[in-house]
Amino acid sequence: TAMDTKVLYVAAVVIAAVSGGYYYYSGKQQKLEADAAQSMTYSAENIHLTQTYEDGQLHVKATVDRLEQDMQKNTANLSNLNASLYEQGVVNATFMAKKAQSYDDNQKVVLSEQVSANKILTEGKMQLDTTELTLYPQTRDIETDKMVIVQSPQAEFVSQGLKANLNEGQYEFFNIRGTYER
């Protein structure tokens, strides 16, 4: 079973949307606070993002605990990114990372610390865990040279690294070990 590439793309979309300024706050509307210095750093907390399909059905729901954006450097730091992808009103994939850093106006996004993607399957779920994952939202490429653990109802394996293009839905794993059929 190939990991559904949409899951990883969602993370890129969420980061682009959040650091691009589509904010949904819990509680009262707060504007981004600009720090007094001319550093042009903005921060926001408890961001809730909701995206629907054109027919109004839920597509993506995401939360971020804190976002800091540096307008001069075109970078953004997010903490505790959690996203859920919906199909016909039901969650079919989830995505989380403790830290996300975006560079060059979201051309490159690095997810780190407990990066986990889950795809809900008819017979269980498939989970991909790693410590760091780099996304290129424009080209929709993802890669890591860190250890990747993949678990599904069919098999479990550990790979040293991963490369994928989300347009093609092709995954490359390297130095796979411990593959076994259940």
Side-chain angles (χ1 to χ4, degrees), residues 48-73:
H48 292 252
L49 174 84
T50 307
Q51 216 184 25
T52 52
Y53 290 107
E54 277 154 33
D55 63 6
Q57 284 244 30
L58 198 54
H59 180 211
V60 178
K61 264 183 114 154
T63 59
V64 176
D65 283 359
R66 184 173 171 80
L67 162 76
E68 279 177 44
Q69 217 177 342
D70 187 316
M71 296 310 203
Q72 282 166 328
K73 293 186 191 149

mmCIF file of all heavy atoms in Angstrom, residues 48-73:
data_model
loop_
_atom_site.group_PDB
_atom_site.id
_atom_site.type_symbol
_atom_site.label_atom_id
_atom_site.label_comp_id
_atom_site.label_asym_id
_atom_site.label_seq_id
_atom_site.Cartn_x
_atom_site.Cartn_y
_atom_site.Cartn_z
ATOM 1 N N HIS A 48 -6.465 28.264 14.150
ATOM 2 C CA HIS A 48 -7.332 27.199 13.659
ATOM 3 C C HIS A 48 -7.614 27.478 12.194
ATOM 4 O O HIS A 48 -8.054 28.568 11.844
ATOM 5 C CB HIS A 48 -8.654 27.172 14.436
ATOM 6 C CG HIS A 48 -8.465 26.747 15.851
ATOM 7 N ND1 HIS A 48 -8.874 25.530 16.336
ATOM 8 C CD2 HIS A 48 -7.870 27.375 16.894
ATOM 9 C CE1 HIS A 48 -8.544 25.429 17.613
ATOM 10 N NE2 HIS A 48 -7.935 26.533 17.977
ATOM 11 N N LEU A 49 -7.332 26.495 11.380
ATOM 12 C CA LEU A 49 -7.526 26.674 9.943
ATOM 13 C C LEU A 49 -8.555 25.658 9.481
ATOM 14 O O LEU A 49 -8.488 24.487 9.839
ATOM 15 C CB LEU A 49 -6.197 26.421 9.231
ATOM 16 C CG LEU A 49 -6.201 26.407 7.709
ATOM 17 C CD1 LEU A 49 -6.090 27.827 7.182
ATOM 18 C CD2 LEU A 49 -5.047 25.581 7.188
ATOM 19 N N THR A 50 -9.530 26.110 8.710
ATOM 20 C CA THR A 50 -10.525 25.196 8.156
ATOM 21 C C THR A 50 -10.617 25.464 6.671
ATOM 22 O O THR A 50 -10.704 26.619 6.256
ATOM 23 C CB THR A 50 -11.916 25.435 8.796
ATOM 24 O OG1 THR A 50 -11.771 25.369 10.210
ATOM 25 C CG2 THR A 50 -12.911 24.399 8.346
ATOM 26 N N GLN A 51 -10.571 24.413 5.889
ATOM 27 C CA GLN A 51 -10.673 24.561 4.446
ATOM 28 C C GLN A 51 -11.783 23.629 3.974
ATOM 29 O O GLN A 51 -11.848 22.478 4.394
ATOM 30 C CB GLN A 51 -9.345 24.139 3.814
ATOM 31 C CG GLN A 51 -8.964 24.949 2.605
ATOM 32 C CD GLN A 51 -7.673 24.409 1.982
ATOM 33 O OE1 GLN A 51 -7.339 23.240 2.135
ATOM 34 N NE2 GLN A 51 -6.965 25.247 1.288
ATOM 35 N N THR A 52 -12.670 24.138 3.120
ATOM 36 C CA THR A 52 -13.744 23.279 2.628
ATOM 37 C C THR A 52 -13.626 23.133 1.116
ATOM 38 O O THR A 52 -12.987 23.941 0.445
ATOM 39 C CB THR A 52 -15.130 23.889 2.944
ATOM 40 O OG1 THR A 52 -15.147 25.238 2.454
ATOM 41 C CG2 THR A 52 -15.407 23.911 4.425
ATOM 42 N N TYR A 53 -14.256 22.085 0.606
ATOM 43 C CA TYR A 53 -14.375 21.928 -0.844
ATOM 44 C C TYR A 53 -15.391 22.944 -1.335
ATOM 45 O O TYR A 53 -16.104 23.553 -0.541
ATOM 46 C CB TYR A 53 -14.874 20.507 -1.180
ATOM 47 C CG TYR A 53 -13.875 19.419 -0.922
ATOM 48 C CD1 TYR A 53 -14.039 18.554 0.160
ATOM 49 C CD2 TYR A 53 -12.781 19.235 -1.757
ATOM 50 C CE1 TYR A 53 -13.122 17.530 0.398
ATOM 51 C CE2 TYR A 53 -11.864 18.220 -1.524
ATOM 52 C CZ TYR A 53 -12.042 17.374 -0.450
ATOM 53 O OH TYR A 53 -11.152 16.368 -0.218
ATOM 54 N N GLU A 54 -15.492 23.091 -2.652
ATOM 55 C CA GLU A 54 -16.441 24.064 -3.190
ATOM 56 C C GLU A 54 -17.877 23.750 -2.802
ATOM 57 O O GLU A 54 -18.696 24.641 -2.663
ATOM 58 C CB GLU A 54 -16.291 24.155 -4.720
ATOM 59 C CG GLU A 54 -15.152 25.098 -5.092
ATOM 60 C CD GLU A 54 -14.543 24.787 -6.453
ATOM 61 O OE1 GLU A 54 -15.275 24.348 -7.345
ATOM 62 O OE2 GLU A 54 -13.329 25.008 -6.606
ATOM 63 N N ASP A 55 -18.200 22.477 -2.603
ATOM 64 C CA ASP A 55 -19.576 22.117 -2.231
ATOM 65 C C ASP A 55 -19.830 22.298 -0.737
ATOM 66 O O ASP A 55 -20.888 21.946 -0.228
ATOM 67 C CB ASP A 55 -19.896 20.670 -2.642
ATOM 68 C CG ASP A 55 -19.021 19.647 -1.911
ATOM 69 O OD1 ASP A 55 -18.244 20.043 -1.013
ATOM 70 O OD2 ASP A 55 -19.119 18.451 -2.241
ATOM 71 N N GLY A 56 -18.833 22.848 -0.012
ATOM 72 C CA GLY A 56 -19.018 23.122 1.411
ATOM 73 C C GLY A 56 -18.594 21.980 2.318
ATOM 74 O O GLY A 56 -18.532 22.143 3.530
ATOM 75 N N GLN A 57 -18.283 20.824 1.743
ATOM 76 C CA GLN A 57 -17.812 19.700 2.572
ATOM 77 C C GLN A 57 -16.439 20.012 3.146
ATOM 78 O O GLN A 57 -15.622 20.645 2.498
ATOM 79 C CB GLN A 57 -17.701 18.429 1.720
ATOM 80 C CG GLN A 57 -19.046 17.801 1.425
ATOM 81 C CD GLN A 57 -19.171 16.412 2.041
ATOM 82 O OE1 GLN A 57 -18.577 16.112 3.076
ATOM 83 N NE2 GLN A 57 -19.968 15.567 1.410
ATOM 84 N N LEU A 58 -16.196 19.544 4.356
ATOM 85 C CA LEU A 58 -14.919 19.775 5.018
ATOM 86 C C LEU A 58 -13.776 19.093 4.269
ATOM 87 O O LEU A 58 -13.897 17.952 3.848
ATOM 88 C CB LEU A 58 -15.010 19.235 6.446
ATOM 89 C CG LEU A 58 -13.987 19.706 7.456
ATOM 90 C CD1 LEU A 58 -13.935 21.227 7.532
ATOM 91 C CD2 LEU A 58 -14.335 19.140 8.823
ATOM 92 N N HIS A 59 -12.675 19.811 4.094
ATOM 93 C CA HIS A 59 -11.519 19.260 3.388
ATOM 94 C C HIS A 59 -10.352 19.101 4.360
ATOM 95 O O HIS A 59 -9.846 18.007 4.564
ATOM 96 C CB HIS A 59 -11.143 20.182 2.234
ATOM 97 C CG HIS A 59 -9.966 19.707 1.453
ATOM 98 N ND1 HIS A 59 -9.096 20.570 0.835
ATOM 99 C CD2 HIS A 59 -9.508 18.463 1.196
ATOM 100 C CE1 HIS A 59 -8.150 19.868 0.234
ATOM 101 N NE2 HIS A 59 -8.368 18.590 0.447
ATOM 102 N N VAL A 60 -9.944 20.210 4.978
ATOM 103 C CA VAL A 60 -8.814 20.174 5.903
ATOM 104 C C VAL A 60 -9.153 20.957 7.165
ATOM 105 O O VAL A 60 -9.745 22.034 7.095
ATOM 106 C CB VAL A 60 -7.563 20.855 5.272
ATOM 107 C CG1 VAL A 60 -6.402 20.857 6.268
ATOM 108 C CG2 VAL A 60 -7.149 20.154 3.992
ATOM 109 N N LYS A 61 -8.788 20.396 8.296
ATOM 110 C CA LYS A 61 -8.845 21.137 9.558
ATOM 111 C C LYS A 61 -7.455 21.068 10.159
ATOM 112 O O LYS A 61 -6.837 20.006 10.170
ATOM 113 C CB LYS A 61 -9.821 20.484 10.531
ATOM 114 C CG LYS A 61 -11.202 21.093 10.524
ATOM 115 C CD LYS A 61 -12.066 20.446 11.565
ATOM 116 C CE LYS A 61 -12.411 21.442 12.648
ATOM 117 N NZ LYS A 61 -13.680 21.116 13.318
ATOM 118 N N ALA A 62 -6.960 22.191 10.654
ATOM 119 C CA ALA A 62 -5.623 22.180 11.230
ATOM 120 C C ALA A 62 -5.537 23.135 12.403
ATOM 121 O O ALA A 62 -6.269 24.118 12.475
ATOM 122 C CB ALA A 62 -4.599 22.573 10.171
ATOM 123 N N THR A 63 -4.635 22.806 13.327
ATOM 124 C CA THR A 63 -4.352 23.728 14.418
ATOM 125 C C THR A 63 -2.843 23.880 14.538
ATOM 126 O O THR A 63 -2.085 22.956 14.240
ATOM 127 C CB THR A 63 -4.889 23.196 15.776
ATOM 128 O OG1 THR A 63 -4.278 21.941 16.049
ATOM 129 C CG2 THR A 63 -6.390 23.062 15.768
ATOM 130 N N VAL A 64 -2.436 25.060 14.963
ATOM 131 C CA VAL A 64 -1.034 25.350 15.235
ATOM 132 C C VAL A 64 -1.008 26.105 16.558
ATOM 133 O O VAL A 64 -1.782 27.043 16.756
ATOM 134 C CB VAL A 64 -0.419 26.236 14.114
ATOM 135 C CG1 VAL A 64 1.009 26.613 14.448
ATOM 136 C CG2 VAL A 64 -0.464 25.511 12.777
ATOM 137 N N ASP A 65 -0.149 25.668 17.493
ATOM 138 C CA ASP A 65 -0.106 26.339 18.799
ATOM 139 C C ASP A 65 0.456 27.745 18.682
ATOM 140 O O ASP A 65 -0.040 28.679 19.293
ATOM 141 C CB ASP A 65 0.768 25.549 19.788
ATOM 142 C CG ASP A 65 0.024 24.336 20.326
ATOM 143 O OD1 ASP A 65 -1.152 24.131 19.960
ATOM 144 O OD2 ASP A 65 0.614 23.584 21.117
ATOM 145 N N ARG A 66 1.524 27.880 17.910
ATOM 146 C CA ARG A 66 2.150 29.188 17.810
ATOM 147 C C ARG A 66 2.842 29.337 16.454
ATOM 148 O O ARG A 66 3.416 28.402 15.938
ATOM 149 C CB ARG A 66 3.183 29.358 18.923
ATOM 150 C CG ARG A 66 3.825 30.743 18.944
ATOM 151 C CD ARG A 66 4.721 30.931 20.167
ATOM 152 N NE ARG A 66 5.466 32.180 20.043
ATOM 153 C CZ ARG A 66 4.966 33.373 20.315
ATOM 154 N NH1 ARG A 66 3.720 33.490 20.739
ATOM 155 N NH2 ARG A 66 5.708 34.464 20.179
ATOM 156 N N LEU A 67 2.739 30.532 15.919
ATOM 157 C CA LEU A 67 3.390 30.859 14.658
ATOM 158 C C LEU A 67 4.207 32.127 14.857
ATOM 159 O O LEU A 67 3.721 33.080 15.452
ATOM 160 C CB LEU A 67 2.342 31.112 13.578
ATOM 161 C CG LEU A 67 2.815 31.863 12.322
ATOM 162 C CD1 LEU A 67 3.608 30.955 11.414
ATOM 163 C CD2 LEU A 67 1.634 32.440 11.559
ATOM 164 N N GLU A 68 5.445 32.095 14.400
ATOM 165 C CA GLU A 68 6.250 33.322 14.381
ATOM 166 C C GLU A 68 6.731 33.520 12.969
ATOM 167 O O GLU A 68 7.280 32.611 12.360
ATOM 168 C CB GLU A 68 7.454 33.183 15.312
ATOM 169 C CG GLU A 68 7.117 33.436 16.750
ATOM 170 C CD GLU A 68 8.317 33.214 17.664
ATOM 171 O OE1 GLU A 68 9.403 33.683 17.297
ATOM 172 O OE2 GLU A 68 8.133 32.569 18.704
ATOM 173 N N GLN A 69 6.501 34.707 12.458
ATOM 174 C CA GLN A 69 6.851 34.984 11.084
ATOM 175 C C GLN A 69 7.820 36.148 11.023
ATOM 176 O O GLN A 69 7.581 37.169 11.644
ATOM 177 C CB GLN A 69 5.567 35.360 10.348
ATOM 178 C CG GLN A 69 5.510 34.850 8.958
ATOM 179 C CD GLN A 69 4.173 35.198 8.315
ATOM 180 O OE1 GLN A 69 3.212 35.509 8.991
ATOM 181 N NE2 GLN A 69 4.139 35.152 7.008
ATOM 182 N N ASP A 70 8.911 35.983 10.295
ATOM 183 C CA ASP A 70 9.864 37.067 10.119
ATOM 184 C C ASP A 70 9.724 37.579 8.693
ATOM 185 O O ASP A 70 10.088 36.911 7.744
ATOM 186 C CB ASP A 70 11.291 36.568 10.367
ATOM 187 C CG ASP A 70 12.306 37.710 10.373
ATOM 188 O OD1 ASP A 70 12.215 38.588 9.488
ATOM 189 O OD2 ASP A 70 13.179 37.713 11.256
ATOM 190 N N MET A 71 9.141 38.784 8.565
ATOM 191 C CA MET A 71 8.833 39.330 7.250
ATOM 192 C C MET A 71 10.084 39.633 6.432
ATOM 193 O O MET A 71 10.073 39.557 5.222
ATOM 194 C CB MET A 71 8.018 40.613 7.390
ATOM 195 C CG MET A 71 6.666 40.387 8.011
ATOM 196 S SD MET A 71 5.790 39.043 7.186
ATOM 197 C CE MET A 71 4.123 39.444 7.589
ATOM 198 N N GLN A 72 11.163 40.008 7.129
ATOM 199 C CA GLN A 72 12.375 40.364 6.388
ATOM 200 C C GLN A 72 13.078 39.140 5.843
ATOM 201 O O GLN A 72 13.552 39.120 4.721
ATOM 202 C CB GLN A 72 13.315 41.174 7.274
ATOM 203 C CG GLN A 72 12.859 42.623 7.390
ATOM 204 C CD GLN A 72 13.573 43.347 8.517
ATOM 205 O OE1 GLN A 72 13.916 42.743 9.534
ATOM 206 N NE2 GLN A 72 13.775 44.631 8.346
ATOM 207 N N LYS A 73 13.129 38.092 6.683
ATOM 208 C CA LYS A 73 13.836 36.885 6.244
ATOM 209 C C LYS A 73 12.926 35.954 5.457
ATOM 210 O O LYS A 73 13.379 34.963 4.904
ATOM 211 C CB LYS A 73 14.368 36.124 7.472
ATOM 212 C CG LYS A 73 15.452 36.873 8.218
ATOM 213 C CD LYS A 73 16.006 35.966 9.315
ATOM 214 C CE LYS A 73 16.911 36.729 10.272
ATOM 215 N NZ LYS A 73 16.838 36.147 11.626
#
